Amino acid sequence: MPDSRRGRIRPLAAWAAAAALVAGAALSGCEVEPERGPGVASRPSPSPRPTPAWDPSPASIAAVGDSITRGFDACGVLVDCPEASWATGGDARVNSLARRLLGPSALPTRSWNLARSGARVAELPSQMTKAAAKKPGLVAVMVGANDACRDSSDLMTPVPDFRASFEEAMRELRKASPKSQVYVSSVPDLKRLWSTGRGSALGKQVWKLGVCASMLGDADNLGVAAEERREEVYERVVAYNEVLRDVCAKDRLCRYDGGAVFDYRFTGEQLSPWDWFHPSRNGQERLAEIAYRIITA
């Protein structure tokens, strides 16, 4: 368009827009505030509520969750191994989250492992209550694998129940410790666990004892029913992770790992040599690395 026409149309368009704005205000019953002259103070705008700054160096850490956080089968057969825990362990080879953030000397007095092997999400509110009493700088959460790993897929925790328990856990924390930061790990990919571990004859023998039967049972069966069962478990884990993400996003001091643990392409080296299910020391170290990277970002 030639410049001469632009010079005429822009003032007209601006005048029309201003007139429409005034008319709209009059029709809606709103008053248009008059233009203030020099020396007339304007009304102060309400200050936005400040977002708390994330502290990448919390002074203390409490860990809640299940057997993965207890280090089960990481250093022996059928035993908890909290010293090898990704969250609070003192093992230098694992170099846990607490060891990286607090230093080895602070672990006995400023870190607490409140997880329990076998725990499902329904137990998380009571664990959070114990964590809140410590007023920790950070709470590390990993839970959900036991909700999907059941004797059959029919027994998996329903997604609405999973959400209700996790929401309750966050409420319990906030009642007593509103300033604690929270790191939430995604649930590991149990289908990848099956595809990785089924190459081990020893692993498959151990799985026959009932380890995560909903996913790992009848490991060599590639029939339609078996594949559908595994896919059902996989989809349930995906749904659990969506709950963890959504609930965490509503809390200004919560960080979800973005699916980093679920997406991690672990190998047999990261699995316990005794059950081919729980993380080995190497696997625990990988979990600590992921958590540390996200918390200190």
Side-chain angles (χ1 to χ4, degrees):
M1 180 182 293
D3 290 342
S4 59
R5 289 190 62 194
R6 287 180 181 170
R8 291 196 301 272
I9 290 175
R10 285 181 177 173
L12 289 173
W15 178 87
L21 181 62
V22 173
L27 289 173
S28 64
C30 298
E31 294 182 0
V32 179
E33 187 173 347
E35 186 178 13
R36 298 180 182 273
V40 179
S42 60
R43 295 176 184 174
S45 300
S47 299
R49 187 179 181 186
T51 300
W54 179 270
D55 183 1
S57 302
S60 57
I61 298 175
V64 295
D66 53 32
S67 56
I68 296 178
T69 299
R70 290 296 298 174
F72 187 82
D73 268 8
C75 63
V77 183
L78 301 179
V79 293
D80 282 351
C81 194
E83 65 269 25
S85 166
W86 68 273
T88 60
D91 190 322
R93 288 170 292 179
V94 173
N95 199 14
S96 71
L97 177 64
R99 197 174 189 275
R100 295 169 195 240
L101 291 173
L102 309 178
S105 62
L107 296 182
T109 57
R110 291 194 279 130
S111 69
W112 308 276
N113 193 321
L114 304 172
R116 185 185 70 81
S117 291
R120 296 197 289 273
V121 72
E123 187 179 315
L124 198 63
S126 63
Q127 291 186 12
M128 277 291 205
T129 299
K130 295 174 184 177
K134 306 288 187 182
K135 299 291 193 297
L138 176 74
V139 180
V141 182
M142 181 179 287
V143 74
N146 290 327
D147 293 271
C149 281
R150 306 301 303 277
D151 290 340
S152 74
S153 58
D154 293 339
L155 297 175
M156 293 188 295
T157 302
V159 176
D161 293 354
F162 189 93
R163 179 181 294 275
S165 291
F166 188 51
E167 288 177 336
E168 182 183 354
M170 292 299 292
R171 287 195 298 269
E172 287 300 313
L173 175 66
R174 292 301 174 223
K175 283 180 186 177
S177 192
K179 295 182 180 180
S180 292
Q181 297 179 158
V182 183
Y183 163 75
V184 179
S185 166
S186 51
V187 183
D189 183 351
L190 300 177
K191 193 170 186 180
R192 180 169 180 80
L193 178 66
W194 164 76
S195 65
T196 299
R198 65 187 290 264
S200 166
L202 174 61
K204 287 187 290 187
Q205 288 301 315
V206 174
W207 290 353
K208 289 178 181 179
L209 300 177
V211 178
C212 195
S214 55
M215 174 61 79
L216 306 179
D218 204 6
D220 285 329
N221 186 346
L222 301 180
V224 173
E227 291 285 26
E228 288 179 346
R229 166 174 54 85
R230 295 184 193 110
E231 186 63 21
E232 182 182 4
V233 177
Y234 174 86
E235 293 296 340
R236 186 61 58 90
V237 170
V238 169
Y240 290 163
N241 284 334
E242 289 173 351
V243 168
L244 297 174
R245 178 198 65 199
D246 294 347
V247 175
C248 184
K250 295 175 182 177
D251 188 293
R252 296 183 299 162
L253 289 175
C254 185
R255 281 190 180 183
Y256 173 61
D257 76 357
V261 169
F262 178 84
D263 291 336
Y264 183 74
R265 300 185 67 80
F266 55 83
T267 66
E269 188 179 6
Q270 280 87 52
L271 298 178
S272 166
W274 294 287
D275 65 15
W276 282 79
F277 176 77
H278 290 90
S280 62
R281 275 191 172 93
N282 185 288
Q284 293 282 348
E285 183 183 0
R286 301 288 83 74
L287 294 173
E289 287 175 350
I290 291 171
Y292 180 77
R293 182 176 69 248
I294 291 169
I295 290 166
T296 59

